[in-house]
Amino acid sequence: GENVEQHPSTLSVQEGDSAVIKCTYSDSASNYFPWYKQELGKGPQLIIDIRSNVGEKKDQRIAVTLNKTAKHFSLHITETQPEDSAVYFCAATQTDRGSTLGRLYFGRGTQLTVWP
Amino acid sequence: DSGVTQTPKHLITATGQRVTLRCSPRSGDLSVYWYQQSLDQGLQFLIQYYNGEERAKGNILERFSAQQFPDLHSELNLSSLELGDSALYFCASSVDVLNEQFFGPGTRLTVL
């Protein structure tokens, strides 16, 4: 099955700085890569995703890049704010029609702390 | 709020007991996924249902079972509980296997 590695496990930044979290995956058939934010006591919240036919996607202060050749993808958060503090998870899966897959394989998470 | 609901929020029980966790997917979503989150294993996929039928199984123990009902809600049954089953259990739903998965708030299970 798929194996997703995520780094770093903890990340501390000053408010206003940028944060980058990196993930690698092992299965070249994976074609959908979501990122989730999990706050304490809550379920994972989808914040951005990217499909393998796209190299980069942005949504306000959040962006995700994908390098299919190297099998890695990254989350970039600019102008960080204290409310960005949470655990961030990357994931990978296949979503081809007709496949029984669609289950998400998750990285181990990154605890992001943004200091005011 | 993702639109996925899970009950109960917390569950405390003893070893050897059986519990049922309930999930209601977002309106219109046909696919339901169950995940387990623990410090040891991280977020692990357990099982997936699509429109009432089982579609995929992950690392789900034989003591665990699930089903999806005609109204599309799903239940995860955990039996002969062990201390190691203590974890957060999340349900997620999506329109189908091609689209985004939205997670519920989870059920925290504590086995004493």
Side-chain angles (χ1 to χ4, degrees):
Chain A
E2 175 65 273
N3 181 45
V4 178
E5 302 274 349
Q6 182 172 347
H7 300 280
S9 56
T10 61
L11 180 60
S12 291
V13 299
Q14 204 72 34
E15 182 177 2
D17 287 350
S18 294
V20 180
I21 302 171
K22 299 183 178 182
C23 289
T24 60
Y25 61 99
S26 62
D27 189 347
S28 56
S30 289
N31 60 0
Y32 174 65
F33 308 92
W35 285 87
Y36 287 85
K37 174 184 181 183
Q38 187 176 22
E39 296 175 312
L40 200 60
K42 296 187 177 180
Q45 174 196 1
L46 179 67
I47 56 171
I48 195 167
D49 56 13
I50 191 167
R51 297 181 189 267
S52 59
N53 58 347
V54 175
E56 183 176 2
K57 184 176 178 180
K58 284 184 180 179
D59 182 4
Q60 298 184 339
R61 298 186 295 108
I62 294 173
V64 57
T65 59
L66 171 65
N67 183 326
K68 285 189 296 182
T69 304
K71 295 208 280 286
H72 69 69
F73 56 113
S74 300
L75 178 71
H76 304 253
I77 306 174
T78 59
E79 300 173 22
T80 54
Q81 301 166 4
E83 50 264 39
D84 293 329
S85 297
V87 179
Y88 290 80
F89 292 94
C90 62
T93 192
Q94 296 182 33
T95 62
D96 296 325
R97 186 172 294 281
S99 168
T100 59
L101 300 179
R103 57 179 285 182
L104 293 173
Y105 295 87
F106 283 91
R108 293 306 299 264
T110 296
Q111 172 69 62
L112 173 65
T113 303
V114 181
W115 300 100
Chain B
D1 184 0
S2 66
V4 179
T5 60
Q6 288 187 249
T7 56
K9 193 171 178 61
H10 301 280
L11 201 47
I12 301 175
T13 188
T15 54
Q17 294 299 304
R18 171 189 170 93
V19 297
T20 297
L21 313 183
R22 183 188 169 102
C23 166
S24 292
R26 296 185 318 157
S27 177
D29 284 0
L30 299 177
S31 196
V32 168
Y33 308 77
W34 286 96
Y35 293 86
Q36 180 193 59
Q37 185 176 38
S38 66
L39 286 174
D40 289 346
Q41 301 294 324
L43 266 164
Q44 297 277 320
F45 168 76
L46 295 177
I47 197 164
Q48 176 198 1
Y49 281 83
Y50 178 77
N51 204 20
E53 294 188 4
E54 182 184 305
R55 289 296 300 271
K57 257 185 176 179
N59 299 325
I60 188 167
L61 300 170
E62 285 191 11
R63 301 183 286 108
F64 295 2
S65 65
Q67 54 184 324
Q68 186 179 29
F69 295 87
D71 68 353
L72 301 177
H73 90 271
S74 178
E75 292 180 357
L76 179 67
N77 301 296
L78 316 177
S79 62
S80 303
L81 285 167
E82 302 175 358
L83 296 177
D85 297 327
S86 295
L88 275 164
Y89 291 84
F90 289 105
C91 166
S93 74
S94 65
V95 172
D96 57 29
V97 296
L98 302 178
N99 290 284
E100 304 88 345
Q101 293 181 29
F102 295 90
F103 280 72
T107 293
R108 180 175 292 279
L109 174 65
T110 303
V111 182
L112 301 175

